[in-house]
Every structure is written in structure tokens, then in C-alpha cells.
Coordinates of all heavy atoms in Angstrom, one line a residue:
L1 N 3.6 -6.0 17.8 CA 3.5 -5.5 19.2 C 2.8 -4.1 19.2 O 2.0 -3.8 20.0 CB 4.8 -5.4 19.9 CG 5.4 -6.8 20.4 CD1 6.8 -6.6 20.8 CD2 4.5 -7.4 21.5
L2 N 3.2 -3.3 18.3 CA 2.6 -1.9 18.1 C 1.2 -2.0 17.6 O 0.4 -1.3 18.2 CB 3.5 -1.0 17.3 CG 4.9 -0.8 17.8 CD1 5.7 0.0 16.8 CD2 4.9 0.0 19.1
G3 N 0.9 -2.8 16.6 CA -0.4 -3.1 16.2 C -1.3 -1.9 15.9 O -2.5 -1.9 16.1
R4 N -0.8 -0.8 15.3 CA -1.6 0.3 15.0 C -1.2 0.9 13.7 O -0.1 0.6 13.2 CB -1.4 1.4 16.1 CG -1.8 1.0 17.5 CD -1.3 2.0 18.5 NE -1.6 3.3 18.3 CZ -1.3 4.3 19.1 NH1 -0.7 4.1 20.2 NH2 -1.5 5.6 18.8
D5 N -2.1 1.6 13.1 CA -1.8 2.2 11.7 C -0.7 3.3 11.8 O 0.1 3.4 11.0 CB -3.1 2.9 11.2 CG -4.1 1.8 10.8 OD1 -3.7 0.7 10.5 OD2 -5.3 2.1 10.8
K6 N -0.7 4.1 12.8 CA 0.3 5.2 13.0 C 0.9 5.1 14.4 O 0.6 6.0 15.2 CB -0.3 6.5 12.7 CG -0.8 6.6 11.3 CD -1.3 8.0 10.9 CE -1.7 8.0 9.5 NZ -1.8 9.3 8.9
P7 N 1.7 4.2 14.7 CA 2.3 4.1 16.1 C 3.2 5.3 16.3 O 3.8 5.9 15.4 CB 3.1 2.8 16.0 CG 3.4 2.5 14.6 CD 2.3 3.1 13.8
S8 N 3.4 5.5 17.6 CA 4.3 6.6 18.1 C 5.5 5.9 18.8 O 5.2 5.0 19.7 CB 3.6 7.5 19.0 OG 4.4 8.5 19.5
I9 N 6.7 6.3 18.5 CA 7.9 5.8 19.2 C 8.5 6.9 20.0 O 8.7 8.0 19.5 CB 8.9 5.3 18.1 CG1 8.3 4.2 17.2 CG2 10.2 4.8 18.8 CD1 8.1 2.9 17.8
G10 N 8.9 6.5 21.2 CA 9.6 7.5 22.1 C 11.0 6.9 22.2 O 11.2 5.8 22.7
Y11 N 12.0 7.7 21.9 CA 13.4 7.3 22.0 C 14.1 8.0 23.2 O 14.0 9.2 23.3 CB 14.2 7.8 20.7 CG 15.7 7.5 20.7 CD1 16.1 6.3 20.3 CD2 16.5 8.4 21.1 CE1 17.5 6.0 20.3 CE2 17.9 8.2 21.1 CZ 18.4 7.0 20.7 OH 19.7 6.7 20.6
I12 N 14.5 7.2 24.1 CA 15.2 7.7 25.3 C 16.6 7.2 25.3 O 16.9 6.0 25.5 CB 14.5 7.1 26.6 CG1 13.0 7.5 26.6 CG2 15.3 7.7 27.9 CD1 12.3 6.9 27.8
P13 N 17.6 8.1 25.1 CA 19.0 7.7 24.9 C 19.6 7.3 26.3 O 19.1 7.9 27.3 CB 19.7 8.9 24.4 CG 18.9 10.1 24.8 CD 17.4 9.5 24.9
S14 N 20.6 6.5 26.3 CA 21.2 6.1 27.5 C 22.1 7.2 28.1 O 22.4 7.3 29.3 CB 22.0 4.8 27.4 OG 23.1 5.0 26.4
C15 N 22.5 8.1 27.2 CA 23.2 9.3 27.6 C 22.9 10.4 26.5 O 22.4 10.1 25.4 CB 24.7 9.2 27.7 SG 25.5 8.7 26.2
S16 N 23.1 11.7 26.8 CA 22.7 12.7 25.9 C 23.4 12.5 24.5 O 24.6 12.2 24.5 CB 23.0 14.1 26.5 OG 22.2 14.4 27.6
D17 N 22.7 12.8 23.5 CA 23.2 12.7 22.2 C 22.9 14.0 21.5 O 21.9 14.1 20.7 CB 22.4 11.5 21.5 CG 22.8 11.2 20.0 OD1 23.9 11.8 19.6 OD2 22.1 10.5 19.3
M18 N 23.6 15.0 21.8 CA 23.4 16.3 21.3 C 23.3 16.5 19.8 O 22.6 17.3 19.2 CB 24.4 17.3 22.0 CG 24.4 17.3 23.5 SD 22.7 17.5 24.2 CE 22.5 19.3 24.0
E19 N 24.1 15.6 19.1 CA 24.2 15.7 17.7 C 23.1 14.8 17.0 O 23.0 14.7 15.8 CB 25.6 15.3 17.1 CG 26.7 16.3 17.4 CD 27.2 16.2 18.8 OE1 27.3 15.0 19.4 OE2 27.5 17.2 19.5
R20 N 22.4 14.0 17.9 CA 21.4 13.1 17.5 C 21.9 12.0 16.5 O 21.2 11.5 15.7 CB 20.2 13.8 16.8 CG 19.6 15.0 17.6 CD 18.9 14.4 18.8 NE 18.0 15.4 19.4 CZ 18.2 16.1 20.4 NH1 19.5 16.1 21.0 NH2 17.4 17.0 20.9
K21 N 23.2 11.6 16.7 CA 23.8 10.6 15.8 C 23.0 9.3 15.9 O 22.7 8.7 14.9 CB 25.3 10.5 16.2 CG 26.0 9.4 15.5 CD 27.4 9.2 15.9 CE 28.1 8.0 15.3 NZ 29.4 7.8 15.8
Y22 N 22.8 8.8 17.1 CA 22.2 7.5 17.3 C 20.7 7.6 17.1 O 20.1 6.7 16.6 CB 22.6 7.0 18.7 CG 24.0 6.7 18.8 CD1 24.9 7.6 19.5 CD2 24.6 5.6 18.2 CE1 26.2 7.4 19.6 CE2 26.0 5.4 18.3 CZ 26.8 6.3 19.0 OH 28.2 6.1 19.1
F23 N 20.1 8.8 17.4 CA 18.7 9.0 17.2 C 18.4 8.9 15.7 O 17.4 8.3 15.2 CB 18.3 10.3 17.7 CG 16.8 10.6 17.5 CD1 15.8 9.8 18.0 CD2 16.5 11.7 16.8 CE1 14.5 10.1 17.8 CE2 15.1 12.0 16.5 CZ 14.1 11.2 17.0
E24 N 19.3 9.5 14.9 CA 19.0 9.5 13.4 C 19.1 8.1 12.9 O 18.3 7.8 12.0 CB 20.1 10.4 12.7 CG 19.9 11.9 12.9 CD 18.5 12.3 12.5 OE1 17.9 11.9 11.5 OE2 17.9 13.1 13.3
H25 N 19.9 7.2 13.4 CA 19.9 5.8 13.0 C 18.6 5.2 13.4 O 18.0 4.5 12.5 CB 21.1 5.1 13.6 CG 20.9 3.6 13.6 ND1 21.1 2.9 12.4 CD2 20.6 2.6 14.5 CE1 20.9 1.6 12.6 NE2 20.5 1.4 13.9
T26 N 18.1 5.5 14.5 CA 16.8 4.9 15.0 C 15.7 5.4 14.1 O 14.8 4.7 13.7 CB 16.6 5.3 16.4 OG1 17.6 4.8 17.2 CG2 15.2 4.8 17.0
V27 N 15.7 6.7 13.8 CA 14.6 7.3 12.9 C 14.6 6.6 11.5 O 13.6 6.2 11.0 CB 14.9 8.8 12.7 CG1 14.0 9.3 11.6 CG2 14.6 9.5 14.0
R28 N 15.8 6.4 11.0 CA 15.9 5.7 9.7 C 15.4 4.2 9.8 O 14.7 3.8 8.9 CB 17.3 5.7 9.1 CG 17.8 7.0 8.6 CD 19.1 6.9 7.8 NE 20.2 6.3 8.6 CZ 21.0 7.0 9.5 NH1 20.8 8.3 9.6 NH2 21.9 6.3 10.1
Y29 N 15.7 3.6 10.9 CA 15.3 2.2 11.1 C 13.8 2.1 11.1 O 13.2 1.3 10.4 CB 15.9 1.7 12.4 CG 15.6 0.2 12.6 CD1 16.5 -0.8 12.3 CD2 14.4 -0.2 13.3 CE1 16.3 -2.1 12.5 CE2 14.2 -1.6 13.4 CZ 15.1 -2.5 13.1 OH 14.9 -3.8 13.3
Y30 N 13.1 3.0 11.9 CA 11.7 2.9 12.0 C 11.0 3.5 10.8 O 9.9 3.0 10.4 CB 11.2 3.7 13.2 CG 11.5 2.9 14.5 CD1 12.3 3.4 15.5 CD2 10.9 1.6 14.7 CE1 12.5 2.6 16.7 CE2 11.2 0.9 15.9 CZ 12.0 1.4 16.8 OH 12.2 0.7 18.0
N31 N 11.6 4.4 10.1 CA 11.0 4.9 8.8 C 10.9 3.8 7.8 O 10.0 3.7 7.0 CB 11.8 6.1 8.2 CG 11.7 7.3 9.0 OD1 12.4 8.3 8.7 ND2 10.7 7.5 9.9
Q32 N 11.9 2.9 7.8 CA 11.9 1.7 6.8 C 10.7 0.8 7.1 O 10.3 0.1 6.3 CB 13.2 0.9 6.9 CG 14.4 1.7 6.3 CD 15.7 0.9 6.5 OE1 15.7 -0.2 7.0 NE2 16.8 1.5 6.0
L33 N 10.2 0.8 8.4 CA 9.1 0.0 8.8 C 7.8 0.7 8.6 O 6.7 0.2 8.9 CB 9.2 -0.4 10.3 CG 10.4 -1.3 10.6 CD1 10.4 -1.6 12.1 CD2 10.4 -2.5 9.8
G34 N 7.9 2.0 8.0 CA 6.7 2.8 7.8 C 6.3 3.6 9.0 O 5.1 4.1 9.1
I35 N 7.1 3.7 10.0 CA 6.8 4.4 11.3 C 7.4 5.8 11.2 O 8.6 5.9 11.0 CB 7.3 3.7 12.5 CG1 6.6 2.3 12.6 CG2 7.0 4.5 13.8 CD1 7.2 1.4 13.6
E36 N 6.6 6.9 11.3 CA 7.1 8.2 11.1 C 7.0 9.0 12.4 O 7.7 10.0 12.5 CB 6.2 8.9 10.0 CG 6.2 8.2 8.7 CD 7.6 8.4 8.0 OE1 8.3 9.4 8.1 OE2 7.9 7.5 7.2
N37 N 6.2 8.6 13.3 CA 6.0 9.4 14.5 C 7.0 9.0 15.6 O 6.7 8.2 16.5 CB 4.6 9.2 15.0 CG 4.1 10.3 16.0 OD1 4.9 11.2 16.3 ND2 3.0 10.0 16.6
I38 N 8.2 9.6 15.6 CA 9.3 9.3 16.5 C 9.8 10.5 17.3 O 10.1 11.5 16.7 CB 10.5 8.6 15.7 CG1 10.0 7.5 14.8 CG2 11.6 8.2 16.6 CD1 10.9 7.1 13.7
H39 N 9.8 10.3 18.6 CA 10.1 11.5 19.5 C 11.4 11.2 20.3 O 11.6 10.1 20.7 CB 9.0 11.7 20.5 CG 7.7 11.9 19.8 ND1 7.3 13.1 19.3 CD2 6.7 11.0 19.5 CE1 6.1 13.0 18.8 NE2 5.7 11.7 18.8
Y40 N 12.2 12.2 20.4 CA 13.5 12.1 21.2 C 13.2 12.7 22.6 O 12.8 13.8 22.7 CB 14.6 12.9 20.5 CG 15.9 12.9 21.2 CD1 16.8 11.9 20.8 CD2 16.3 13.9 22.1 CE1 18.1 11.9 21.4 CE2 17.5 13.9 22.7 CZ 18.4 12.9 22.4 OH 19.7 12.9 23.0
Y41 N 13.5 11.9 23.6 CA 13.4 12.3 25.1 C 14.7 12.2 25.7 O 15.1 11.1 26.2 CB 12.3 11.5 25.8 CG 10.9 11.6 25.2 CD1 10.3 10.6 24.4 CD2 10.2 12.8 25.4 CE1 9.1 10.8 23.9 CE2 8.9 12.9 24.8 CZ 8.4 11.9 24.1 OH 7.1 12.1 23.6
D42 N 15.4 13.3 25.9 CA 16.7 13.3 26.6 C 16.3 13.5 28.1 O 15.8 14.6 28.5 CB 17.6 14.4 26.1 CG 18.9 14.4 26.8 OD1 19.1 13.9 27.9 OD2 19.8 14.9 26.1
L43 N 16.6 12.6 29.0 CA 16.2 12.7 30.4 C 17.4 13.3 31.2 O 17.2 13.4 32.4 CB 15.8 11.3 31.0 CG 14.7 10.7 30.3 CD1 14.4 9.3 30.9 CD2 13.5 11.6 30.3
D44 N 18.4 13.6 30.5 CA 19.6 14.2 31.2 C 19.7 15.7 31.0 O 19.3 16.5 31.9 CB 20.9 13.5 30.7 CG 22.1 13.8 31.4 OD1 22.1 14.3 32.6 OD2 23.2 13.7 30.8

């Protein structure tokens, strides 16, 4: 679906994650797929 050499991922948490606990899991997950460009967007 991403279909690009260097895709960008935007992470929007369902609630604020000030310690980035769940975001870090997401970063590790995408890093294993070779995706490095991951951004955290807290809308709260």
C-alpha cells in the first residue's frame, strides 16, 4: 500500500501518550519493515 522507497508514517494516538510507550512499539514495528520516517502527532 505504501509502495515507496522511503515511506512516511504518521502516528496519531487515541489519547496522549506522554511517555511514548505505545509509539515506541509502533516505531519498532515499522523499523522491522525498513520504515524509518515515523512521526508522532498528538492531537490532544
Side-chain angles (χ1 to χ4, degrees):
L1 288 168
L2 295 174
R4 296 168 51 180
D5 289 333
K6 295 187 180 199
S8 178
I9 302 288
Y11 176 86
I12 302 171
S14 59
C15 63
S16 294
D17 180 14
M18 303 307 283
E19 291 81 34
R20 306 291 196 262
K21 174 182 174 184
Y22 298 102
F23 177 64
E24 289 304 319
H25 165 70
T26 300
V27 168
R28 286 191 307 274
Y29 186 93
Y30 286 118
N31 286 170
Q32 291 177 2
L33 297 180
I35 301 170
E36 301 290 329
N37 194 8
I38 306 161
H39 306 275
Y40 180 89
Y41 297 107
D42 184 336
L43 302 180
D44 187 22

